[in-house]
Amino acid sequence: VPLALQRAAGMSALQPTLLLEQSRQLLARLRAATAQLMLSWATRSEGREQLPSALLAPLRHAPASVLTVQQPSLSRQIRLAREIEHYQEPPGQPWPLERPLPGGTRAIDHQSRCPFRAYAELRLACTPLEAHLIGPDPRERGQFLHRALELLWQQLGDSRQLAAQQAGGTLDGLIEACVHAAARHTWADETERVSARARAREERRGRQLLRELAALELTREPFSVAGLEQRSRITLEGALLELRIDRIDRLADDSYVVFDYKTGRVGVLDWQAERPSDPQLLVYLLAQPAAVSALALVRLSPHHVSYQGAADLPSRLPKLSQSRARAPEGAEPSDETGAWLRQTARWRTSITRLARDFIGGAAPVDPLPQACRLCHLHAVCRIGDLRPSGDTQEEPGDG
């Protein structure tokens, strides 16, 4: 655009007088928008002394009272004038006992993480909109690995066959076949979203994870697989809860280990709290009529394949990353069994209490630490307004 036309249009950037007036107006608006305005400038730059802008010269030696706006801005006046009303929050509607609890173990998991989220998401359908993703989404990756592991253990059956396949050099071939079959099952039709290249990448990742898990399983005591993707039903406080347990192993002493595969992010387990975090395995414990000697999440991450959970004895699972139920100091080794039985009884009590609260409609905004990081309901529960001023324990939506 020719400069003459820009000047004729009154563009302030080309006319010093207009630019100065515009800058003065912006400074006046800035002063009016804050209760206190502090100005600063660099005294030196590249070895040369710097002076403040001539625009700020009238304010350079002004007393503090001149720089302070006596009246707060309109938005600040509105916020300062707010009144918070406190009232006794009534419970929500009770769950109809003739219907199974929604979402399987999610009802118990959400009730433990935050009762409000459990009510809003599983009762009021406050679920986030699904985002369109290019390539496999996290849910499909989980289904793919679950299917691959199910096929693998259907072929192996126990630790003896696992060791024999490893010794005979055929384990890698079996893993590759199971992973390929699981990929075909999960992504039956190659589409633009999940291309052949993307599926091949997922298969490489799956083979790596299954090999690392097989190496870890070879360090365990002898076991046989007693259940894969096993469906069960239990009744909690009069309501039916439907479960699907990833895997159950039987040990030489006729006790059982219950596994749950985790392909996503897993935090630090806190099963000793009144409201235990990630209580899915604790719910599975209630569905087992036989003696259970260990509960473990199987973490399947490219950076870390491990067990995370609890067991009655250190020898049950190698490198278990959760402290086991310990007997009191000074107790005899035989007391470890008693400590484990007492601990499992406490877990049963905790799960029963969470089920009772969900069925009764208890829905206070009371999240566990870190529970807000992966929650989508901040605008509904207004957790930021409920926290005391200066509470920086956790910012909603981080991560």
Side-chain angles (χ1 to χ4, degrees):
V1 179
L3 293 178
L5 292 180
Q6 295 184 45
R7 291 192 182 98
M11 297 183 68
S12 59
L14 298 178
Q15 302 187 43
T17 54
L18 292 178
L19 183 59
L20 179 61
E21 181 59 30
Q22 184 186 54
S23 300
R24 285 174 175 162
Q25 291 176 5
L26 290 174
L27 179 60
R29 289 168 60 186
L30 179 62
R31 293 181 61 190
T34 180
Q36 188 175 28
L37 179 63
M38 300 183 67
L39 306 173
S40 64
W41 65 91
T43 57
R44 301 186 68 84
S45 175
E46 298 181 354
R48 293 178 295 178
E49 184 178 358
Q50 300 290 310
L51 297 176
S53 168
L55 184 66
L56 306 181
L59 304 178
R60 183 178 182 185
H61 301 294
S65 59
V66 175
L67 301 180
T68 303
V69 178
Q70 299 300 321
Q71 292 296 327
S73 64
L74 178 60
S75 60
R76 185 171 178 80
Q77 290 184 57
I78 294 174
R79 188 164 183 83
L80 291 174
R82 67 176 180 168
E83 294 183 3
I84 298 178
E85 181 180 355
H86 297 275
Y87 66 97
Q88 188 67 32
E89 183 177 7
Q93 294 295 318
W95 182 260
L97 297 181
E98 66 274 10
R99 294 170 52 192
L101 293 180
T105 57
R106 279 196 302 151
I108 307 301
D109 180 72
H110 286 2
Q111 189 71 24
S112 180
R113 292 178 187 272
C114 179
F116 177 82
R117 180 178 179 180
Y119 195 91
E121 188 168 321
L122 300 177
R123 303 282 196 96
L124 306 180
C126 295
T127 55
L129 296 176
E130 290 193 8
H132 179 73
L133 300 175
I134 301 298
D137 61 36
R139 181 174 52 187
E140 289 174 336
R141 285 194 177 99
Q143 293 171 350
F144 159 59
L145 288 174
H146 276 67
R147 180 59 176 164
L149 285 163
E150 181 184 9
L151 293 174
L152 178 64
W153 285 110
Q154 283 176 353
Q155 294 291 322
L156 293 175
D158 56 31
S159 58
R160 184 177 60 83
Q161 283 296 324
L162 173 63
Q165 293 268 3
Q166 174 69 13
T170 57
L171 181 59
D172 280 353
L174 178 60
I175 288 176
E176 184 172 356
C178 293
V179 166
H180 186 64
R184 288 203 315 269
H185 178 269
T186 307
W187 301 291
D189 299 320
E190 293 178 5
T191 63
E192 183 177 327
R193 188 179 66 83
V194 183
S195 63
R197 180 178 296 180
R199 202 175 83 171
R201 184 175 61 249
E202 293 301 320
E203 289 191 39
R204 287 195 301 271
R205 176 176 176 269
R207 290 193 296 269
Q208 174 194 346
L209 293 175
L210 263 64
R211 290 190 191 106
E212 292 184 18
L213 179 58
L216 183 61
E217 300 273 28
L218 285 167
T219 64
R220 291 177 52 193
E221 294 180 339
F223 64 89
S224 61
V225 177
L228 292 169
E229 302 295 330
Q230 178 175 299
R231 295 185 179 274
S232 300
R233 288 185 170 190
I234 60 173
T235 301
L236 291 174
E237 296 297 297
L240 183 66
L241 182 61
E242 297 178 339
L243 312 173
R244 188 170 68 178
I245 304 173
D246 292 342
R247 181 174 143 205
I248 303 173
D249 284 0
R250 182 175 180 177
L251 304 182
D253 63 354
D254 289 334
S255 67
Y256 291 83
V257 181
V258 181
F259 292 105
D260 185 60
Y261 300 130
K262 289 295 182 184
T263 58
R265 191 172 155 190
V266 180
V268 177
L269 291 183
D270 185 5
W271 287 350
Q272 308 301 324
E274 182 178 355
R275 284 163 52 193
S277 63
D278 292 294
Q280 187 172 3
L281 278 166
L282 307 185
V283 180
Y284 292 167
L285 174 67
L286 274 64
Q288 302 308 307
V292 174
S293 56
L295 303 167
L297 299 176
V298 181
R299 299 179 60 185
L300 296 168
S301 164
H303 306 292
H304 196 54
V305 174
S306 64
Y307 303 121
Q308 188 173 4
D312 60 346
L313 299 172
S315 58
R316 294 297 186 188
L317 293 172
K319 301 179 181 178
L320 192 65
S321 60
Q322 171 83 357
S323 61
R324 60 191 177 87
R326 298 183 181 275
E329 291 187 11
E332 296 296 326
S334 59
D335 289 346
E336 290 179 325
T337 301
W340 175 253
L341 292 176
R342 290 190 294 273
Q343 180 60 69
T344 54
R346 286 193 291 269
W347 287 333
R348 292 174 185 272
T349 301
S350 296
I351 297 303
T352 302
R353 180 171 56 250
L354 290 170
R356 184 186 309 123
D357 289 344
F358 181 85
I359 292 168
V365 180
D366 185 19
L368 292 177
Q370 312 304 320
C372 296
R373 291 184 179 274
L374 300 178
C375 183
H376 58 283
L377 298 170
H378 309 134
V380 181
C381 72
R382 301 180 67 183
I383 185 66
D385 291 339
L386 295 177
R387 289 202 175 99
S389 177
D391 183 1
T392 59
Q393 176 185 1
E394 177 186 355
E395 290 296 329
D398 268 3

